[in-house]
Amino acid sequence: MRQRRSPFGRILPAAILIVISGMALLLAGRLEPQDRPEGVDPVDQVLGRQEASRYPAIQAPEPTPPPREYAVFQGRRPVTPRPGESTRGLLPTSLGPAPWDAASDPLLAGLPDALRLNPAEVRRGPRGAARRGLNFVALDPAFLERAETGAGNGATVDTAVAAIGRHARIVASLPDAVFEVWVEAPQINALLAEPAVAHVRAAEPAHRISPDLGALPRLSRNEAARPELLVRVTIVSGLDDEVLRHRIEAVAGVSEVTPDLFGGGYQLRVDYREVARLARLDEILWIEPVYDYLLQNAEGVPTVQMGSAEDGNFVRPFDDAGVDGGGIDTNGDGRRINDGSDTVPPQIVGVVDNGISLDTASFSQTATQVNPPITPPPGTRRKLHALQNAGDSGTSCDAPLSGGSTHGHVVASILSADASSLGVRATRPALDGASAPRNLSLDGVARGSRILMEDAATTAVCTLNSLVERGGNVSPGSLLDRLNAAICPTVPPPSGVCATVGSGGGADLHVVVLPFGAPQNFGPIFQTVIIGSYPQEAADVDKFLYNNRDTMVVVPVGNNGGLVNNNRLGLMTPVY
């Protein structure tokens, strides 16, 4: 798995503390006065009871397995090498390490003919077999050794890679000097005769399909029972166009085809009996299930600008120093918004979640004007830069019948809330019953920053019943779309490249928060299936970070994280 790139550039120091603070949800509710038994801390007593009563309700529902016949590979798992076992000289595929000769590949044995190439579909040569489309190519170890020792008459690793590039377009880099390439028909013979190449093998339809497809248990019982699998299709870079879309739509069993906003992929449904037919389209790079996403709710003590709020006596040194993410009001108009009028603009933080409550003190425009109309970005809203519709238009789950709390609003508040500017602070009774105004700040760690909310869930998934019946509580779609849209126009130019700034944060956005598990983070599935895989979601985040190195993507560490015992969560044995 590729290493995440370290971002650099102008990033708000306080915003970096988002990583420290995590996605902490403050313990809700009013603490009632309690008698103080000898030697028992009443705070521990109250919080322990609250957590004990809430814990069963926050467990993720048990997943529902689909019918066995839906599984494309009939439950076959990828072959993983034993510890110490060498795979050098083998082809790394999604099914496991394979020999370069397809005829002797045991991983293909027993698969339907539609998932394999027949000998008439490939052209053989000195280095193996190839066909128009996707192929695997391995550099010759002897050629590389001569290049490294200087015995190759000027040959280098770069010249070896360049030699492949003369005959094919490199699509992906794999372990042990193996590349996945796209080759056109006139270049096949030259590729099969290239001296820098040791092996060539045409990619089988089975190599384009995730082993999880049709076999992965689902949060939604309805989804698990549907024979039309919900899948994400990734296209070989540069080959996505309207003609290909029509060819995909024409495949038997394919429906609900939705292209990615920035191109290069589709979300669609395909009948499990027709997956092989879809995988036989040459331009398709990868087919995988659309994974369920669960929002993360990691509870912890309030954490502000110097670590634990209790340990720091609620001191907020960045606020005191005037470093709050809000830029500098250089034109003296009393506003700090991203319209170019201030030399130092406010920081913008992107959040992909299930909505936001704009009529609260955290994000209200003024104390009396709670929710004025949202103007086109950058707009004039004090706290909101933009609302992007990634499935919904910003509506939240703060209705009483929805539990009265919206995950997206809480996350955005931890980052950017600024209630103190409106004179709103928190007061509560003391545990001993005496009235004790606390006058606590309700501000986020970077209270001057502005929020860009990408709403990725409707109110239909606000309740547990909806979660079980409909699936996860956010449906962000392509993560590459979500990340690009955070900095780019809502509708990209035809090239799909971010060229101008529309509803995105542009140069003022350096942090995007994805507060959910990807790809699937519930039940036993994560331990047995997901760990060690490299789904398209991970590739999307890597691609975005590589191309936008001054942007940081923040994700939470997980749900709960404590081994259930007699202590409250903060004192439980950590679970990683």
Side-chain angles (χ1 to χ4, degrees):
M1 185 171 177
R2 287 179 304 206
Q3 223 175 11
R4 299 292 192 267
R5 304 286 175 161
S6 299
F8 57 85
R10 182 171 56 88
I11 298 180
L12 169 70
I16 297 177
L17 289 169
I18 297 167
V19 180
I20 302 173
S21 64
M23 295 297 105
L25 299 185
L26 304 185
L27 296 175
R30 174 172 169 166
L31 303 182
E32 298 297 333
Q34 302 288 327
D35 294 332
R36 188 188 297 270
E38 187 68 27
V40 177
D41 187 340
V43 176
D44 285 346
Q45 206 173 27
V46 174
L47 296 182
R49 283 200 301 270
Q50 287 184 340
E51 287 183 353
S53 65
R54 285 202 313 272
Y55 193 84
I58 62 176
Q59 297 304 297
E62 283 297 316
T64 301
R68 180 177 174 81
E69 62 267 23
Y70 289 8
V72 176
F73 294 101
Q74 295 300 300
R76 182 189 302 190
R77 299 302 310 155
V79 174
T80 55
R82 292 186 294 271
E85 181 180 2
S86 175
T87 59
R88 186 171 295 277
L90 297 176
L91 168 63
T93 75
S94 56
L95 301 177
W100 283 91
D101 183 6
S104 59
D105 187 348
L107 301 180
L108 298 182
L111 291 182
D113 291 342
L115 292 176
R116 300 179 294 174
L117 297 173
N118 63 62
E121 294 181 87
V122 299
R123 190 185 307 175
R124 302 199 64 84
R127 305 291 189 268
R131 67 188 296 269
R132 179 191 180 275
L134 288 171
N135 296 266
F136 297 106
V137 175
L139 293 178
D140 185 357
F143 183 95
L144 296 178
E145 184 178 356
R146 291 194 300 271
E148 291 176 355
T149 60
N153 296 324
T156 66
V157 175
D158 288 341
T159 60
V161 174
I164 294 177
R166 287 195 296 269
H167 316 303
R169 180 159 62 90
I170 295 176
V171 173
S173 176
L174 303 174
D176 296 328
V178 176
F179 299 91
E180 192 168 11
V181 302
W182 176 272
V183 60
E184 295 291 347
Q187 300 297 323
I188 292 177
N189 289 339
L191 179 65
L192 291 171
E194 172 56 50
V197 169
H199 304 288
V200 180
R201 179 176 170 182
E204 310 277 345
H207 293 153
R208 308 165 191 254
I209 304 172
S210 167
D212 297 330
L213 190 59
L216 194 68
R218 313 298 302 198
L219 272 174
S220 167
R221 291 192 290 263
N222 294 342
E223 186 62 43
R226 287 195 65 167
E228 302 85 16
L229 307 178
L230 187 62
V231 304
R232 174 158 297 284
V233 173
T234 304
I235 306 301
V236 176
S237 178
L239 300 182
D240 185 19
D241 56 22
E242 284 296 316
V243 174
L244 176 61
R245 177 177 176 177
H246 293 321
R247 289 171 57 207
I248 291 174
E249 292 173 330
V251 173
V254 169
S255 61
E256 300 180 22
V257 178
T258 304
D260 289 348
L261 180 65
F262 287 81
Y266 297 86
Q267 181 172 298
L268 54 85
R269 289 193 179 273
V270 57
D271 189 288
Y272 73 92
R273 290 159 291 216
E274 305 294 344
V275 172
R277 192 187 302 270
L278 182 64
R280 279 187 164 269
L281 294 181
D282 291 336
E283 295 84 355
I284 287 182
L285 178 66
W286 187 240
I287 305 172
E288 68 179 4
V290 172
Y291 294 100
D292 290 318
Y293 292 84
L294 277 180
L295 294 171
Q296 306 277 31
N297 296 280
E299 288 191 346
V301 297
T303 308
V304 289
Q305 295 173 358
M306 57 176 300
S308 169
E310 286 85 348
D311 294 340
N313 293 320
F314 290 87
V315 172
R316 302 175 64 94
F318 286 107
D319 289 348
D320 294 341
V323 181
D324 63 359
I328 301 175
D329 180 20
T330 50
N331 67 355
D333 64 354
R335 303 184 306 167
R336 295 189 293 179
I337 59 175
N338 304 77
D339 62 355
S341 60
D342 292 322
T343 304
V344 181
Q347 293 287 302
I348 299 172
V349 181
V351 177
V352 182
D353 213 302
N354 64 345
I356 188 171
S357 300
L358 295 173
D359 56 352
T360 62
S362 297
F363 298 104
S364 175
Q365 183 70 355
T366 68
T368 57
Q369 189 183 20
V370 295
N371 198 4
I374 299 174
T375 56
T380 58
R381 291 293 299 250
R382 178 178 72 104
K383 297 300 301 175
L384 183 72
H385 178 78
L387 267 177
Q388 292 185 359
N389 190 323
D392 195 22
S393 58
T395 54
S396 63
C397 296
D398 62 2
L401 294 180
S402 298
S405 179
T406 297
H407 190 277
H409 178 75
V410 173
V411 171
S413 295
I414 290 171
L415 302 170
S416 183
D418 184 11
S420 62
S421 292
L422 305 184
V424 178
R425 302 178 76 85
T427 299
R428 66 180 181 183
L431 290 171
D432 59 6
S435 178
R438 300 289 292 276
N439 202 32
L440 296 177
S441 172
L442 294 173
D443 295 344
V445 293
R447 67 184 183 189
S449 62
R450 303 174 78 216
I451 289 292
L452 186 154
M453 173 60 68
E454 295 189 60
D455 189 353
T458 68
T459 54
V461 291
C462 289
T463 63
L464 179 63
N465 288 341
S466 293
L467 178 66
V468 174
E469 294 300 328
R470 299 170 185 269
N473 43 20
V474 284
S475 301
S478 165
L479 295 190
L480 190 59
D481 273 358
R482 299 286 71 76
L483 293 169
N484 279 330
I487 61 173
C488 295
T490 299
V491 179
S495 65
V497 177
C498 179
T500 58
V501 176
S503 65
D508 299 336
L509 187 147
H510 297 285
V511 179
V512 182
V513 182
L514 305 178
F516 43 77
Q520 198 152 341
N521 61 318
F522 61 89
I525 301 168
F526 182 79
Q527 295 292 337
T528 59
V529 176
I530 301 304
I531 287 181
S533 66
Y534 189 56
Q536 188 61 40
E537 285 86 348
D540 284 350
V541 174
D542 280 350
K543 182 177 181 179
F544 176 81
L545 290 177
Y546 184 83
N547 292 321
N548 299 277
R549 303 190 190 192
D550 61 348
T551 305
M552 175 189 296
V553 175
V554 180
V555 296
V557 294
N559 280 317
N560 299 319
L563 187 63
V564 180
N565 52 34
N566 293 327
N567 294 320
R568 71 174 188 265
L569 185 62
L571 301 177
M572 290 178 183
T573 303
V575 174
Y576 300 96

